[in-house]
Amino acid sequence: MTEAPTIWLRYLEDLRPHLRGRDHRGKKGSLRWLEALVAERGGRAGTVRNILYKDLGSPEEKERLYGVLADLYREAGLTPPPPPPELFLETARKALGRDKRRIFRRFLKELEAGERPQMVVVGGPATGKGVLLSALGRALSALPGKEPVLLNLGGELAQALVPLSEALGVGEEVRALLAQLSPTQPYGLQGALQQEVLLLLAQALNREGRPLLLRAEAEGTLEGLPLRGPDGNRKGLAAWLEPFLKRLSIPSLAALSEPPPTLPYQPLSPPSREEARRFVRERLPHLPPERLEALVNQAGRNFGELSRLVLLEAAKHDPKTPLQDDPALRPLLQALSAFSPEADPAFPLELLEKALGKPIERFSQAEKALLDWVGEGLVRPALRSLLPEEAPSALHRLALDHFPRENLFRKLYHARKAGERRVLLELLEEDPARLALLPGLWEEAEGWPKEEREALAGVVVRYRAVLGQYAHPEAEEALKVLSQSENPALRTWARIKAAEAKADAALYREAEELLPPKRDLEHLDETARAEGLLVMAAVERWKGDYEKAACFVAEAEGLPVAPFLKDRVQLWRGLVAKDLGRYEEALKALSQVGHDPLLLGRARYQMGDLLMRLGRLEAQARMAEGLKALEEAGAPKDEVARVRARYATLLRRLGRYEEAEEALKKALAEAEDPFTRARVESEGGILQAAWGRPFAALELLARAEAYFRTTKERPKEARYRHLRTLFRLGATYLLLEAGQPYRPPFLGGLTAPQAERLLKDLLTAIPEEATDRYTALRLDTLSLLSLLLPPEEGKALLKPFLSLENPYLRAQARLGYAEVLARGGGFGEALAQVVALPPLEDPGLLAQARAVEVLALLGLGEEEAAWQKLLEGAKDLPPAFRFQLGRALGRFCPKLEARLSPSPLALSEALGLHLANPD
């Protein structure tokens, strides 16, 4: 029996055996009967057929049909099946805000595609973490085998971790570890035991295989002890959980109250007014509009407060307003307003007692009723709607003195409210990202004294720069303030940041024009100087002067910069090390780039590009990760186009031509700058040559060659791109004249006069630079040229490259040299070259190695061994490379024809098809 084409039809077919007889609508379970039933429920009968057979219909019609089917299941004494997942998307659309809806949709989409989504979201109180997790939990529960594990962490964690461990079958082991914890132990031992608990739970969850939905507050304890890492240092809950999250191999969504140290995360924003209205309307559908607005106004952008008010409303108990005007309660309400910001509502009771001048024992019942206890010694307001909007600055000053420096949010919040701008600016200059905790501060600072406003302008520019938001109105206003400063150092730094904005948007010529002379950097502090040096490095790298770029980066790296700049320094250190062939240094630096989405995307792409140059299969995952991160971070279109074109090159080298062609089409559509477009066309040309389409290749390459030859843009980079395009033209003529597509393996003995002329002319034009790109270009050129020359001449060309440092290029040179040896009759020596190679991952190198091995074995008279090696080696190659392996060997191995079935095809094509389609 064939499977039903949609989930809807499957639900109906499972139900039909339980529906018997007829009624006024017709035979129960028939299509017409169901259409009539849906029409009676207010639906359109015509939609039923489309939903059942094509899964086409509006969310409302699908919800109605599901409701009808669920009722029929219940009437038949059956448990209704789960709603199709798409209905949860519609429910989520109603209940969630845009940011949370996007996360919800992406998680389910990746899960349904068979992927393993692992996401981290970060938001303070009242940003809707619970609403998101609740919606996702309902959706997952409806998917077979995806019932989620729910974990809510805060306060004493053992209360949640022990029941979880018991449910996962590791309760005894976890309790044994917890029993070893003691306040008298060294901190390092406490941290190690705590991490063992997390490791045990992660392993158990991985075995269970179900998705994990985790919510975590900012702080917690375990068996009454502070949370610690393996080094013994105290950790917030987010930092403490990070190793646990990294060990998970199951789908997971972690909603944290604070950012993790290195994991990428997505921030959650508080609900908009429309989200708040939807929240109330869904729970109180009959509430009059004016009362709904009153509740939303009272709660503000706080889901927790809104939930409480909705509950009160549902219980027919309207909160009364006279409490705010009671003089006996006013001091308490003012203190609660000062000490309990929405982002961090809990605070020490000790601070409240100090503000009111009396201990808790002397509080009135009314005062106590306004407090919620949230932990040992911590309180918060029972109902925020009663609090005045502003509190006396003296209360904020009291709180500023009370909280330790480690509590950054509190120090920032109370310094702002108390008007202590010196303290505030000192904290912000340490790390501009802290500005995220103080929305609206720039606007508020319009009336500040000039010097303080300029200091804040510097913070704003750096904060927006880290986010890649150079065009944000705040960033533009702040840059204007700095550029008009009487302080020459600030004016110089403003030019640097304006240039950085242009470089970040890939507008390098404009960036170069904005940059100040290097001597002007001497008047700046170390961090500002490093920022200037990195922009200068970006411009030089764009121009193709890698040595100069490396000098600028080295100078920046030697400066004691602020922590917020270290990611950018590491990225640039990795880039220039990669350009100069210092591979391990580059990979190490790039892997240390943290969670800033744009920088992380660039670092992962560059890691992928470097791993591709080294012939490592891991390259594909890293480059795909980088491309995805850049797209999600809103990178400039031309940057995405360049990365996508490079990704297409990687796919071509893996033999995945269809995917490469799709990527290049998309890159061409994205490319806006003529330089980028020509680069994509050049990549597209060599892909066409690999496909075996010479005229399509020539069309693309001719356009790219003309552009790179005549452009005045980026002369050094244009020169390299022009030479690389000339090589690709040579490869295309090799296809046109000799029938050899640019696809491994490559075997010589070919004749292609135009290709030979192009390649020989190119050799004389390639500069004697020791950079990786020019070494690779020279070797590629010599490798193709050796296919057109007698073996002795080919050996002489390739021999100087046999000891290259780059392992991929070294293997390429050795395999080319081995091919020439085999063609010249040096079969034993050729075989020795192949056998001496380290294990190869790159499928192109593997194809070349197999071809040379088979040639050498046949030359040594080992016909059976050659045939077995050919069949065995072809298995691990992509189909395109298997076909080319047969075509190439067919020219040299006439004896292999006896191994094939009779065919009118020439041996080359017959052998190619046999290897490409072994079954």
Side-chain angles (χ1 to χ4, degrees):
M1 181 178 174
T2 58
E3 189 176 344
T6 69
I7 192 171
W8 301 96
L9 189 57
R10 190 165 75 247
Y11 284 179
L12 178 60
E13 287 177 348
D14 290 347
L15 179 64
R16 273 174 171 159
H18 303 277
L19 299 175
R20 295 185 178 87
R22 304 176 67 88
D23 61 16
H24 64 282
R25 306 179 194 94
K27 183 182 177 184
K28 290 185 177 181
S30 71
L31 183 60
R32 292 189 182 281
W33 181 84
L34 187 60
E35 287 175 338
L37 188 56
V38 167
E40 289 174 13
R41 301 274 184 104
R44 292 189 298 122
T47 64
V48 173
R49 185 182 301 270
N50 280 337
I51 296 173
L52 286 175
Y53 291 98
K54 300 178 183 175
D55 197 19
L56 296 175
S58 69
E60 292 76 17
E61 293 292 349
K62 287 184 175 181
E63 282 185 17
R64 184 179 287 108
L65 178 58
Y66 174 73
V68 168
L69 291 172
D71 287 346
L72 292 172
Y73 267 83
R74 281 188 281 268
E75 287 172 18
L78 304 171
T79 302
E86 64 182 295
L87 295 190
F88 288 105
L89 287 172
E90 181 60 21
T91 305
R93 188 187 67 77
K94 295 175 182 176
L96 301 177
R98 185 179 299 171
D99 59 342
K100 288 172 275 292
R101 209 158 55 228
R102 187 172 63 248
I103 294 161
F104 177 97
R105 190 182 295 114
R106 183 176 147 209
F107 190 95
L108 283 186
K109 188 177 178 183
E110 290 184 11
L111 195 66
E112 289 179 75
E115 297 176 28
R116 189 195 63 195
Q118 292 188 323
M119 301 180 188
V120 177
V121 297
V122 175
T127 50
K129 297 190 295 293
V131 176
L132 172 61
L133 290 173
S134 175
L136 199 51
R138 288 196 300 273
L140 290 173
S141 297
L143 298 176
K146 302 298 183 187
E147 179 77 27
V149 175
L150 306 176
L151 186 57
N152 199 340
L153 296 177
E156 175 48 57
L157 305 186
Q159 296 172 5
L161 296 183
V162 170
L164 173 66
S165 68
E166 288 171 344
L168 295 171
V170 291
E172 196 172 322
E173 295 94 323
V174 167
R175 280 194 298 273
L177 286 169
L178 293 177
Q180 295 177 50
L181 284 171
S182 163
T184 60
Q185 288 168 328
Y187 291 158
L189 180 55
Q190 288 180 24
L193 287 169
Q194 291 177 5
Q195 290 300 311
E196 275 193 62
V197 170
L198 288 179
L199 174 60
L200 202 59
L201 290 171
Q203 291 170 339
L205 285 164
N206 291 339
R207 285 195 297 273
E208 185 78 6
R210 289 156 52 202
L212 172 67
L213 300 181
L214 181 150
R215 178 176 178 171
E217 302 300 332
E219 299 293 337
T221 58
L222 192 59
E223 294 293 315
L225 298 176
L227 302 180
R228 299 188 185 278
D231 56 0
N233 291 333
R234 287 186 70 153
K235 302 279 186 185
L237 191 44
W240 187 73
L241 284 169
E242 186 173 84
F244 165 79
L245 294 173
K246 286 182 174 179
R247 289 189 183 106
L248 294 176
S249 59
I250 53 172
S252 65
L253 189 140
L256 309 179
S257 299
E258 289 183 347
T262 64
L263 281 173
Y265 65 85
Q266 299 173 63
L268 296 180
S269 56
S272 65
R273 284 188 65 83
E274 186 50 40
E275 286 177 68
R277 288 191 191 101
R278 283 202 303 266
F279 183 85
V280 176
R281 206 177 289 121
E282 195 176 54
R283 286 155 180 78
L284 301 171
H286 306 300
L287 198 67
E290 63 276 8
R291 186 60 190 146
L292 185 150
E293 290 300 321
L295 289 181
V296 170
N297 290 340
Q298 278 182 285
R301 300 174 70 194
N302 185 315
F303 271 127
E305 195 82 352
L306 200 56
S307 301
R308 208 172 287 123
L309 285 168
V310 165
L311 288 172
L312 287 170
E313 186 70 28
K316 303 296 182 189
H317 176 75
D318 293 335
K320 302 298 181 184
T321 53
L323 283 174
Q324 288 108 311
D325 304 321
D326 188 331
L329 293 177
R330 192 176 300 130
L332 172 64
L333 293 173
Q334 286 181 335
L336 290 173
S337 176
F339 302 155
S340 180
E342 287 191 31
D344 184 19
F347 62 92
L349 174 64
E350 175 191 353
L351 177 59
L352 185 60
E353 291 174 328
K354 194 183 296 183
L356 297 182
K358 58 184 179 183
I360 185 68
E361 292 79 14
R362 289 174 49 202
F363 282 26
S364 69
Q365 290 302 316
E367 287 174 323
K368 289 179 181 176
L370 289 171
L371 300 178
D372 264 354
W373 292 85
V374 290
E376 193 173 340
L378 296 176
V379 292
R380 68 180 177 192
L383 200 60
R384 300 195 66 83
S385 56
L386 300 176
L387 305 185
E389 285 187 17
E390 293 296 333
S393 57
L395 287 169
H396 288 290
R397 211 166 280 118
L398 183 69
L400 181 62
D401 293 338
H402 178 86
F403 285 103
R405 188 176 179 82
E406 292 74 32
N407 195 329
L408 280 168
F409 171 74
R410 286 295 193 159
K411 298 298 276 189
L412 290 164
Y413 177 80
H414 294 297
R416 177 186 188 179
K417 292 289 187 180
E420 295 286 347
R421 292 195 284 269
R422 183 185 54 78
V423 177
L424 183 63
L425 287 168
E426 187 182 301
L427 290 166
L428 289 172
E429 284 169 343
E430 278 181 13
D431 184 357
R434 293 170 184 169
L435 198 60
L437 301 172
L438 301 171
L441 182 64
W442 174 248
E443 195 176 307
E444 180 186 307
E446 195 167 350
W448 285 14
K450 188 176 183 182
E451 191 177 326
E452 290 177 343
R453 186 161 166 77
E454 286 178 352
L456 181 61
V459 172
V460 168
V461 169
R462 278 185 169 138
Y463 167 59
R464 293 294 171 189
V466 167
L467 298 176
Q469 297 174 346
Y470 295 96
H472 192 283
E474 284 188 1
E476 291 180 340
E477 284 175 29
L479 270 175
K480 188 176 179 182
V481 167
L482 293 169
S483 63
Q484 294 172 351
S485 172
E486 294 171 8
N487 184 336
L490 286 181
R491 291 199 303 273
T492 298
W493 186 71
R495 289 180 65 182
I496 288 170
K497 298 309 283 186
E500 183 179 286
K502 296 296 183 186
D504 213 61
L507 302 171
Y508 294 99
R509 182 167 296 286
E510 290 93 326
E512 186 175 26
E513 290 168 0
L514 285 167
L515 276 170
K518 187 170 183 291
R519 62 178 177 275
D520 289 1
L521 302 189
E522 295 169 11
H523 308 299
L524 305 176
D525 64 38
E526 287 90 346
T527 296
R529 203 182 314 158
E531 288 174 305
L533 289 165
L534 292 180
V535 182
M536 290 175 177
V539 170
E540 293 305 325
R541 186 172 184 268
W542 166 73
K543 289 157 68 176
D545 196 335
Y546 300 115
E547 291 288 353
K548 199 169 182 182
C551 290
F552 284 142
V553 172
E555 196 176 336
E557 198 179 356
L559 296 170
V561 300
F564 68 82
L565 193 62
K566 287 182 178 174
D567 262 1
R568 193 173 282 270
V569 172
Q570 287 300 329
L571 174 64
W572 280 98
R573 181 184 156 213
L575 289 177
V576 297
K578 170 177 171 265
D579 292 334
L580 296 172
R582 304 198 296 257
Y583 314 121
E584 292 308 318
E585 179 189 337
L587 286 172
K588 183 179 178 184
L590 292 169
S591 67
Q592 289 172 6
V593 175
H595 60 250
D596 172 70
L598 204 56
L599 296 184
L600 185 68
R602 288 168 180 164
R604 293 297 176 269
Y605 157 65
Q606 292 291 346
M607 286 179 74
D609 186 60
L610 176 51
L611 290 165
M612 176 178 75
R613 294 186 189 193
L614 298 175
R616 304 250 293 271
L617 290 181
E618 187 190 348
Q620 194 264 330
R622 293 287 79 75
M623 204 180 287
E625 185 185 340
L627 178 57
K628 185 179 180 184
L630 287 171
E631 289 180 290
E632 291 177 353
K637 274 192 173 182
D638 276 306
E639 179 177 8
V640 174
R642 287 195 305 274
V643 170
R644 200 183 303 281
R646 190 64 173 154
Y647 184 54
T649 296
L650 171 58
L651 292 171
R652 169 176 60 78
R653 283 175 45 167
L654 295 174
R656 291 157 61 174
Y657 294 159
E658 291 88 352
E659 293 172 69
E661 191 163 43
E662 284 304 310
L664 282 169
K665 282 179 185 174
K666 202 166 181 181
L668 268 177
E670 290 164 333
E672 295 174 342
D673 172 61
F675 200 105
T676 303
R677 188 170 184 82
R679 181 171 168 179
V680 176
E681 287 178 333
S682 181
E683 299 280 1
I686 197 64
L687 174 63
Q688 294 300 322
W691 268 117
R693 302 165 179 168
F695 299 113
L698 286 174
E699 184 180 356
L700 288 165
L701 291 168
R703 281 203 300 268
E705 187 278 332
Y707 176 83
F708 289 130
R709 175 166 36 85
T710 57
T711 184
K712 299 293 187 288
E713 294 290 316
R714 305 165 58 184
K716 280 202 168 187
E717 182 67 11
R719 183 190 188 193
Y720 169 75
R721 293 290 160 197
H722 181 238
L723 295 174
R724 176 54 78 177
T725 304
L726 286 173
F727 165 77
R728 290 167 173 171
L729 279 168
T732 302
Y733 272 102
L734 190 65
L735 166 63
L736 191 61
E737 296 176 308
Q740 166 71 47
Y742 190 69
R743 181 193 307 184
F746 299 95
L747 298 183
L750 303 170
T751 303
Q754 178 66 2
E756 187 173 341
R757 185 184 66 76
L758 279 169
L759 294 169
K760 283 181 174 177
D761 289 349
L762 176 58
L763 266 184
T764 64
I766 297 174
E768 292 296 326
E769 277 188 29
T771 54
D772 232 28
R773 56 177 10 187
Y774 277 120
T775 302
L777 177 57
R778 192 175 293 106
L779 177 58
D780 286 345
T781 305
L782 290 170
S783 297
L784 281 197
L785 192 54
S786 70
L787 304 177
L788 304 171
L789 298 175
E792 286 306 314
E793 289 183 45
K795 281 167 61 178
L797 289 177
L798 292 169
K799 196 165 188 178
F801 291 84
L802 298 182
S803 300
L804 288 174
E805 187 179 346
N806 181 316
Y808 176 86
L809 297 180
R810 187 168 62 245
Q812 180 187 338
R814 286 181 175 273
L815 287 169
Y817 189 70
E819 186 275 334
V820 173
L821 286 170
R823 201 157 26 100
F827 303 117
E829 196 179 347
L831 200 57
Q833 286 284 349
V834 176
V835 171
L837 288 171
L840 302 174
E841 294 182 29
D842 181 83
L845 294 181
L846 283 168
Q848 189 72 21
R850 294 297 83 82
V852 173
E853 278 184 301
V854 171
L855 269 184
L857 287 168
L858 284 170
L860 293 169
E862 300 287 344
E863 188 177 324
E864 185 60 35
W867 178 249
Q868 292 305 320
K869 176 65 71 176
L870 179 59
L871 296 180
E872 178 191 329
K875 288 179 187 175
D876 300 327
L877 301 177
F881 292 2
R882 294 204 297 267
F883 181 72
Q884 183 58 28
L885 178 64
R887 283 196 75 230
L889 287 171
R891 289 192 293 116
F892 290 92
C893 310
K895 291 182 180 179
L896 294 180
E897 190 165 12
R899 303 271 180 172
L900 304 177
S901 303
S903 166
L905 299 180
L907 174 57
S908 289
E909 286 67 42
L911 184 56
L913 289 172
H914 179 77
L915 295 179
N917 305 285
D919 300 327

